[in-house]
Amino acid sequence: MAILVSKKVTKRFGGLEALSKIDLEVREQSIHSIIGPNGAGKTTFFNCVTGFYTPEEGEILFNGRNITGLSPDRVTHLGISRTYQNIRLFKNMTAVENILVGMHPHLKAGLIGSVIRPSWVVKEEREALEEAKHLLRFVGLQGRGDMLAKNLPYGEQRRLEIARALASRPKLLLLDEPTAGMNPSETQDMINFIRRLRDELGITILLIEHQMRVVMNISELITVLDFGQKIAEGTPLEIQRNERVIEAYLGRGAASGLGQVHASPAAR
Amino acid sequence: MQISAPSFSWKEAVRVGVLGGAIAILISLVGMVAAFGERYIVYGWFSMGQVLFLAPILFMVSLTLRREKASTSSKTVLHSLLAGAVGGVMLAVLVLLGQVINLRAVLVNASPRLYGMLTFNQGLPAGPFVLIAVTALLGAVAGAYHLLPPRWQRTLSQAVIWLILTGLMRDLIMNIVVRWRLVGELFKTVLFASSGLQPIGAIVLLLLIGGLVYWRSGQPAGRGFSLKNQPPTIRWASIAGIVLIFLTLPQILGVYFSEILDNVMMYILMGLGLNIVVGFAGLLDLGYVAFFAIGAYTMGVLTSPELRAEPLTYWQALPFALVISFISGLILGLPVLKLRGDYLAIVTLGFGEIVRLLVLSDWLRPWLGGTQGIQLIAQPRIGSMVLNTQEELYYLFLLGVGIILFIAIRLKDSRLGRAWMALREDEDVAMAMGINHVVVKLLAFATGAVFSGLAGTIFAAKLTSVYPHSMNFLVSINVLALLILGGMGSIPGAFVGALVLIGAPELLREFAEFRYLVYGALLVTMMVTRPEGLWPEERRRLELHEAEEELKGAEPVPAS
């Protein structure tokens, strides 16, 4: 069953068609990748799903509900959460506070409640803090909670950003190049971590990724975009054999090399 | 490993001297030196005016020494002496030039009085040489100071700073101690002169403070006093003590200083409000005075018999004033929801001007009094007592500050406070975190508006009248400046900022005409040397409550 359905989504910037008639289905509890060369419209698609952009045509359904044109905060309330290509943490807030902001949708204290602080608000805050610490442990950042986000090393900032995204208890998590700037061992950790998100928390993952090793390794389904068009969709093996994809993106040498890379984990 | 640091060279010494001298000349020619000529620090010996032209030279020398990490040798002293002398020469040239050409035709402050002060009243031809000798000596002292061990450095610098502060605050201190006859007499005869300190008093004070600082810096480090680390009984006793001091302050200080405190607290109220808008939520509001005006005018319109046949009392009108402030906050917030940064600043600036022009206008004259303003505004009553003196109004301000402080602290560490800060850090991401930016922004504007409106109502009650000209743009700038000075987003920073920016100029009346010059210099210096403010915001430790856990660990120890 599809958790996210995109029907003929088109997004234009002036004369430029950044996305044209994109059809896409993300199956529940799957790991689905979107790949494509720079400027293919991958991040634009994420922005359409999360409400930053409103597509000119087409509609996006989440759990069968039309979310086209909803504001970003409404989309988040429904259960979609995301990270960013260039890390966008709240830099001058601590790690715990970043996660607590992520919990905003399911906390209830307003202006009056925050000032008077009745027992239910105290309880809510205490539980939120516990959950935040739990999330810190889950992403391996225990003991780092009181550090300002900007003072964390790069890899930890990436993981904190995911923890913040998880704090809103999403059903669908959009990851925009989660392994960008990571070395091979960090990348492997991230691959394992993304699998855990799906296996342990049951979250559906839609990710944009440039490192073919990662994409071919963890994806169940891959969608390939080029110049705003969907040019292919299929399993990693199908994508590697797809002529159009090889033309547009992978290159012949890369495709044959990738076959080997992919073969080794499969052989294990 | 020793890396040979570039030592303080001859060339550098001259450069520093010229810079220091230039600043000293500027301060002299704007008239600050002469204005403070009668403000003695040590009576008959040296005045604040002299401090003002000597300090820049000293400051430049010591700044350079610190940066250069000058080699510890007699050369340092010699070069510092040269730098000081160069600064002195520049001032001496000014004095001599003043004898030859009539500088006063262009530079009104280049008066004989200034020359007298610069030459320590030694006249010509000796005066300029005395000046150069003094600055050279000061330079050498600064050089020698940097060769001292840190403990002595701290002792010396703190002793001198406290000496200057005590001299400046003579009136304030005398005003307090005069109540106890014996102490008052002692202070009057030994410590203080008619202006500043007695020479003997100054020496005693220097030794006393120096001794104290020297002794304290000898104590083991890391034993800073923090309320959080104390057992509950001491903590509560300290809090009770602080509250008691605040409650008795008007009795101790008298009318004049109570009024200063009233002013400071009025700005604290506004500072805490603007801190929510600018400090927490990052929405630069340059028209903040508008809400102050709305609070004050609502109070005026509702309670003045000039405008209403049946005027309300202060307490009856207060809720209306606060609600109207809240609504006006929403009204400002709505059109600027999509604006960020500079654009927001311009629109809010316009909003402030619109409100000022409305209360000034002839069109609204029948309701708001136009240029005449509103008189006969009600003062708050408690039972049969009317709060109408500065001391009584102090308690009204104190109550207001207490309540607002409580609200501000609660909001800061709440879901809403975090949402504001997230909005400040990155608005797009905050929205993607499920924060409704419309609601959250409007609440920031409205909450800030209520705080400012409250300050306005007390202001109206204090003066029993409001005029359009009290509602000018500079009020907004003052509030913003005190926040920058204290530390954006910091609650204690608002207090420190208000004390320094509003309180200090009242104590140093001579500053009045240089107020904005000093503001400017202070803000530029702050931005360069300490951009986070005097008392920067500190993030609460949430994950690891170290202080509290230590306390819990300490508690089970039996008291016997």
Side-chain angles (χ1 to χ4, degrees):
Chain A
M1 164 153 176
I3 187 166
L4 184 79
V5 181
S6 152
K7 287 184 186 162
K8 301 214 179 318
V9 166
T10 301
K11 175 71 198 170
R12 292 187 201 94
F13 295 109
L16 181 83
E17 206 157 77
L19 291 175
S20 54
K21 299 199 169 76
I22 299 296
D23 284 315
L24 198 115
E25 284 198 8
V26 180
R27 284 200 311 272
E28 203 157 353
Q29 303 226 2
S30 67
I31 297 179
H32 190 135
S33 293
I34 300 179
I35 63 171
N38 287 329
K42 306 181 297 287
T43 301
T44 306
F45 182 73
F46 267 27
N47 284 335
C48 286
V49 173
T50 50
F52 280 108
Y53 296 157
T54 305
E56 270 76 30
E57 289 164 30
E59 54 182 28
I60 298 166
L61 306 175
F62 178 64
N63 274 335
R65 181 178 167 174
N66 190 349
I67 60 165
T68 329
L70 284 186
S71 64
D73 55 300
R74 292 306 313 154
V75 173
T76 308
H77 275 267
L78 293 174
I80 301 180
S81 190
R82 73 173 288 188
T83 66
Y84 300 84
Q85 194 174 343
N86 43 344
I87 302 173
R88 288 173 81 172
L89 287 165
F90 304 120
K91 293 193 184 67
N92 293 309
M93 298 172 81
T94 64
V96 170
E97 284 175 320
N98 266 278
I99 298 178
L100 287 173
V101 171
M103 289 178 188
H104 190 91
H106 49 262
L107 300 181
K108 295 196 173 50
L111 181 66
I112 309 278
S114 296
V115 173
I116 297 172
R117 228 172 254 190
S119 57
W120 68 266
V121 173
V122 176
K123 183 161 167 273
E124 175 185 273
E125 282 286 304
R126 199 174 49 226
E127 285 169 0
L129 187 60
E130 278 312 309
E131 196 182 330
K133 288 187 198 170
H134 176 77
L135 274 169
L136 273 180
R137 274 195 298 278
F138 184 76
V139 298
L141 288 177
Q142 61 273 38
R144 300 286 205 169
D146 290 330
M147 279 179 77
L148 291 185
K150 65 179 174 191
N151 295 338
L152 290 172
Y154 181 82
E156 295 187 358
Q157 290 196 9
R158 280 255 173 240
R159 279 184 278 158
L160 177 58
E161 206 187 22
I162 295 178
R164 183 182 68 180
L166 292 176
S168 65
R169 298 176 193 159
K171 299 184 194 82
L172 173 66
L173 180 61
L174 311 185
L175 300 173
D176 198 341
E177 294 197 35
T179 67
M182 286 186 170
N183 66 33
S185 91
E186 286 172 331
T187 303
Q188 190 56 49
D189 287 346
M190 185 54 79
I191 292 173
N192 297 340
F193 180 68
I194 293 171
R195 281 220 183 87
R196 271 179 71 202
L197 291 180
R198 195 267 307 268
D199 299 342
E200 290 177 25
L201 304 178
I203 298 172
T204 311
I205 309 265
L206 178 62
L207 84 161
I208 294 175
E209 188 49 73
H210 268 303
Q211 291 198 49
M212 280 310 127
R213 208 173 81 84
V214 180
V215 175
M216 298 304 169
N217 203 328
I218 60 173
S219 314
E220 275 133 32
L221 210 63
I222 298 173
T223 303
V224 188
L225 298 186
D226 190 23
F227 291 112
Q229 311 253 358
K230 183 165 106 174
I231 58 170
E233 190 165 73
T235 63
L237 271 175
E238 287 167 2
I239 292 301
Q240 282 169 55
R241 297 204 189 103
N242 187 306
E243 284 296 318
R244 277 191 76 188
V245 177
I246 293 168
E247 287 289 324
Y249 187 42
L250 296 176
R252 290 193 185 277
S256 57
L258 277 164
Q260 288 157 14
V261 172
H262 182 246
S264 52
R268 267 193 281 147
Chain B
M1 211 181 82
Q2 190 79 42
I3 301 164
S4 59
S7 64
F8 192 36
S9 67
W10 293 107
K11 235 167 110 185
E12 179 70 8
V14 173
R15 200 179 71 89
V16 169
V18 169
L19 265 175
I23 300 173
I25 287 177
L26 179 76
I27 291 179
S28 304
L29 289 181
V30 294
M32 280 173 82
V33 170
F36 280 93
E38 297 300 313
R39 244 328 162 107
Y40 284 103
I41 304 294
V42 180
Y43 188 73
W45 281 77
F46 77 106
S47 67
M48 188 61 199
Q50 268 135 6
V51 171
L52 281 175
F53 75 79
L54 291 177
I57 300 174
L58 200 64
F59 177 73
M60 282 308 299
V61 172
S62 110
L63 195 72
T64 318
L65 283 170
R66 195 176 307 169
R67 209 175 46 205
E68 303 271 324
K69 290 208 169 44
S71 51
T72 53
S73 68
S74 56
K75 250 190 177 169
T76 309
V77 178
L78 223 61
H79 290 179
S80 312
L81 185 138
L82 175 70
V86 169
V89 168
M90 294 203 35
L91 284 170
V93 167
L94 173 72
V95 174
L96 292 175
L97 212 62
Q99 311 303 319
V100 189
I101 317 165
N102 182 18
L103 288 177
R104 222 172 173 184
V106 191
L107 305 161
V108 281
N109 289 308
S111 61
R113 206 169 113 66
L114 173 71
Y115 300 142
M117 289 205 50
L118 290 179
T119 54
F120 301 90
N121 293 320
Q122 298 301 315
L124 287 171
F129 294 104
V130 175
L131 170 65
I132 296 168
V134 169
T135 55
L137 191 69
L138 267 176
V141 168
Y145 171 84
H146 279 267
L147 301 180
L148 288 173
R151 191 174 175 189
W152 279 101
Q153 285 189 0
R154 202 173 310 149
T155 306
L156 205 66
S157 58
Q158 295 219 1
V160 171
I161 287 171
W162 281 106
L163 179 81
I164 293 174
L165 284 180
T166 316
L168 283 178
M169 291 193 296
R170 180 220 171 250
D171 290 354
L172 176 64
I173 297 168
M174 277 313 289
N175 211 303
I176 298 169
V177 293
V178 81
R179 274 142 225 272
W180 303 292
R181 270 195 48 213
L182 203 70
V183 187
E185 281 301 311
L186 188 73
F187 269 59
K188 210 168 167 183
T189 49
V190 181
L191 190 63
F192 289 122
S194 57
S195 168
L197 297 151
Q198 301 269 21
I200 306 167
I203 293 167
V204 172
L205 197 71
L206 264 181
L207 292 176
L208 215 66
I209 296 169
L212 198 71
V213 175
Y214 187 78
W215 174 74
R216 273 211 51 184
S217 56
Q219 299 290 315
R223 276 194 30 188
F225 184 81
S226 162
L227 273 182
K228 274 196 177 139
N229 298 330
Q230 303 299 318
T233 43
I234 295 186
R235 201 186 325 180
W236 285 112
S238 315
I239 291 172
I242 292 168
V243 170
L244 201 69
I245 289 174
F246 273 112
L247 286 179
T248 51
L249 222 44
Q251 271 70 47
I252 299 173
L253 292 177
V255 186
Y256 176 61
F257 291 104
S258 295
E259 190 181 356
I260 296 179
L261 272 183
D262 287 354
N263 272 332
V264 169
M265 285 198 289
M266 190 172 85
Y267 273 93
I268 290 176
L269 279 177
M270 285 195 277
L272 287 173
L274 191 63
N275 192 36
I276 286 184
V277 186
V278 186
F280 291 178
L283 305 161
L284 184 52
D285 183 352
L286 292 182
Y288 193 58
V289 67
F291 306 116
F292 179 74
I294 287 166
Y297 265 86
T298 311
M299 186 51 72
V301 168
L302 292 179
T303 67
S304 170
E306 278 184 350
L307 297 167
R308 278 175 68 93
E310 291 166 10
L312 302 178
T313 67
Y314 177 86
W315 300 112
Q316 286 169 336
L318 186 62
F320 289 103
L322 297 184
V323 167
I324 290 174
S325 301
F326 189 88
I327 294 170
S328 59
L330 297 180
I331 290 173
L332 167 67
L334 277 173
V336 301
L337 277 173
K338 294 236 164 112
L339 302 179
R340 293 179 194 183
D342 311 355
Y343 302 97
L344 176 66
I346 299 283
V347 174
T348 52
L349 179 77
F351 181 75
E353 282 302 287
I354 289 170
V355 169
R356 188 180 66 86
L357 290 173
L358 280 181
V359 296
L360 190 63
S361 68
D362 282 336
W363 175 53
L364 291 171
R365 197 191 186 106
W367 299 281
L368 299 176
T371 44
Q372 305 290 310
I374 303 172
Q375 280 83 29
L376 301 171
I377 295 171
Q379 297 197 299
R381 290 166 165 277
I382 296 174
S384 60
M385 189 177 73
V386 182
L387 304 180
N388 54 8
T389 66
Q390 298 298 343
E391 291 101 314
E392 287 160 356
L393 284 163
Y394 168 89
Y395 291 105
L396 189 60
F397 274 112
L398 193 66
L399 183 71
V401 169
I403 293 170
I404 297 303
L405 177 66
F406 176 78
I407 296 177
I409 291 175
R410 278 282 168 98
L411 283 177
K412 187 180 177 198
D413 295 317
S414 69
R415 172 173 174 263
L416 189 57
R418 289 191 299 263
W420 282 333
M421 277 172 238
L423 210 63
R424 173 190 73 194
E425 295 291 309
D426 192 328
E427 189 169 333
D428 292 330
V429 180
M431 284 162 71
M433 291 293 117
I435 292 167
N436 184 332
H437 76 298
V438 175
V439 172
V440 168
K441 266 190 186 178
L442 288 181
L443 279 180
F445 276 119
T447 313
V450 169
F451 291 8
S452 186
L454 176 66
T457 65
I458 308 181
F459 173 78
K462 180 182 151 194
L463 296 184
T464 70
S465 55
V466 286
Y467 301 101
H469 68 76
S470 328
M471 311 303 168
N472 65 48
F473 172 58
L474 279 173
V475 177
S476 305
I477 293 300
N478 282 343
V479 180
L480 191 65
L482 78 86
L483 283 185
I484 295 171
L485 192 74
M488 233 358 135
S490 156
I491 290 172
F495 285 75
V496 175
L499 272 174
V500 173
L501 231 48
I502 310 300
E506 298 283 344
L507 288 179
L508 301 170
R509 280 262 152 213
E510 292 90 337
F511 260 129
E513 52 181 310
F514 309 109
R515 199 178 182 133
Y516 292 103
L517 178 76
V518 176
Y519 272 24
L522 204 61
L523 287 179
V524 171
T525 316
M526 283 292 298
M527 285 303 102
V528 174
T529 59
R530 207 179 153 83
E532 73 276 20
L534 290 175
W535 191 326
E537 177 203 14
E538 208 175 310
R539 307 298 323 142
R540 201 161 54 123
R541 300 177 72 81
L542 285 170
E543 193 197 7
L544 311 163
H545 299 275
E546 276 181 352
E548 281 176 40
E549 266 155 25
E550 266 177 31
L551 194 66
K552 273 178 204 151
E555 259 173 2
V557 179
S560 65

